[in-house]
Amino acid sequence: MGVFEGKTALVTGAARGIGRAIAEKLASEGADLALCDLDADWLSDTAAAVEALGRKAKGYTVDVRSTQGVQDAVSAIHADFGSIDILVNNAGITKDTFLVRMSEEDWDSVIDVNLKGTFNFTKATSKIMMKQRAGAIVNIASIIGLIGNAGQCNYAASKAGVIALTKSAAKELASRGIRANAVAPGFIQTKMTDALSDDVKQKMLDVIPMSRFGQAEDVANVVAFLSSDASSYMTGQVLTISGGMVM
Ligand code: NAI
């Protein structure tokens, strides 16, 4: 019997990378999975991986930026699964460039996916969790939301916003039995970070005390802890997962 037996988890950005690892980790501990992403093909791969672990899985093609689209997806998930016990807001993008070169589109798209997307899913799901008088929300922020980074004003602002949204939601929802926490990963090896140059990667390694990049599973394990009753007296917290890069 896994700790999430009988529970439904909704993971956004679940088609690949960290989102997929989170879906598989929660499924391995007994959760059924509602998987949301823009990418329908890769979503079906994640769904197959979850089903291979013996859990129910269903993919929903949804753009986290769309308030109505998210509301519709959450209603469908509630109807399909009967409850939403865990929400993991993981979908995120980068559009890196220096401030003076950053276009309005670079700014708006990153804020819309990372911050508005998290708002959309948190709002739609917390209405259901309030009726259940139980739920756990875990938002994927970033160390960049804590320390900033040259070339990532849009991303840093979006992730700092996610942290502030997490803390505010935690305060609003605590009395209804809903906890909201965030994780702030450092450099994790995924398609998002594969795009960086070897030079940038080496500079990162030089400032990571553990001298290695993180794996998606390193994040998934902490998300599982924050989703479970093992963290039942924690809300509004931000746990950093960076091999000691930020402490
Ligand atoms: P990834 O690029 O491999 O996966 C992101 C997923 O989000 C993709 O499946 C993509 O299709 C989906 N997505 C993007 N825009 C979407 C939208 N509008 N609607 C629905 N789905 C959308 O990225 P990765 O590395 O797995 O990142 C996951 C999260 O972790 C992101 O929020 C990212 O900011 C965060 N993070 C990643 C770090 C890293 O080093 N890889 C470090 C810190 C945070």
Side-chain angles (χ1 to χ4, degrees):
M1 287 278 283
V3 292
F4 301 122
E5 204 83 31
K7 295 201 166 168
T8 300
L10 189 174
V11 180
T12 73
R16 67 182 203 199
I18 294 171
R20 178 174 169 152
I22 291 167
E24 290 188 38
K25 173 69 182 170
L26 297 178
S28 75
E29 296 195 12
D32 293 327
L33 262 298
L35 308 162
C36 296
D37 206 288
L38 277 179
D39 194 306
D41 288 346
W42 284 347
L43 256 187
S44 46
D45 280 4
T46 308
V50 167
E51 283 164 353
L53 290 162
R55 309 313 317 175
K56 176 177 170 178
K58 190 164 178 191
Y60 300 82
T61 309
V62 55
D63 186 334
V64 299
R65 292 173 292 189
S66 163
T67 303
Q68 190 58 51
V70 168
Q71 183 55 61
D72 293 346
V74 168
S75 298
I77 291 163
H78 194 209
D80 291 344
F81 287 82
S83 70
I84 302 177
D85 307 291
I86 297 159
L87 167 66
V88 182
N89 283 301
N90 163 81
I93 60 167
T94 50
K95 291 225 165 156
D96 299 351
T97 190
F98 291 117
L99 176 61
V100 290
R101 286 197 215 129
M102 191 171 284
S103 68
E104 185 178 359
E105 203 275 324
D106 293 333
W107 175 267
D108 286 347
S109 58
V110 171
I111 298 289
D112 279 358
V113 175
N114 300 3
L115 183 54
K116 186 177 172 189
T118 300
F119 162 72
N120 282 338
F121 266 99
T122 303
K123 180 179 173 186
T125 305
S126 59
K127 285 181 190 164
I128 291 164
M129 290 179 170
M130 282 165 88
K131 288 202 187 106
Q132 295 170 175
R133 301 197 74 83
I137 299 168
V138 184
N139 294 329
I140 312 303
S142 165
I143 54 164
I144 305 307
L146 296 169
I147 63 173
N149 196 22
Q152 290 198 304
C153 283
N154 48 0
Y155 186 76
S158 74
K159 294 299 189 179
V162 165
I163 290 169
L165 167 59
T166 305
K167 292 180 180 181
S168 302
K171 287 185 177 177
E172 282 188 31
L173 300 172
S175 64
R176 308 297 187 100
I178 303 165
R179 299 182 300 108
N181 291 289
V183 295
F187 191 111
I188 310 297
Q189 275 179 316
T190 67
K191 279 214 159 41
M192 182 179 271
T193 44
D194 283 349
L196 297 170
S197 69
D198 287 345
D199 186 43
V200 170
K201 286 183 189 163
Q202 188 54 50
K203 283 194 178 124
M204 292 272 191
L205 267 186
D206 291 343
V207 292
I208 299 173
M210 288 179 73
S211 299
R212 71 166 178 92
F213 297 135
Q215 300 301 315
E217 292 69 28
D218 292 318
V219 178
N221 289 336
V222 181
V223 171
F225 165 67
L226 290 173
S227 303
S228 79
D229 290 342
S231 59
S232 59
Y233 197 50
M234 293 175 68
T235 198
Q237 303 305 303
V238 186
L239 297 186
T240 298
I241 309 161
S242 69
M245 185 175 166
V246 172
M247 54 173 84

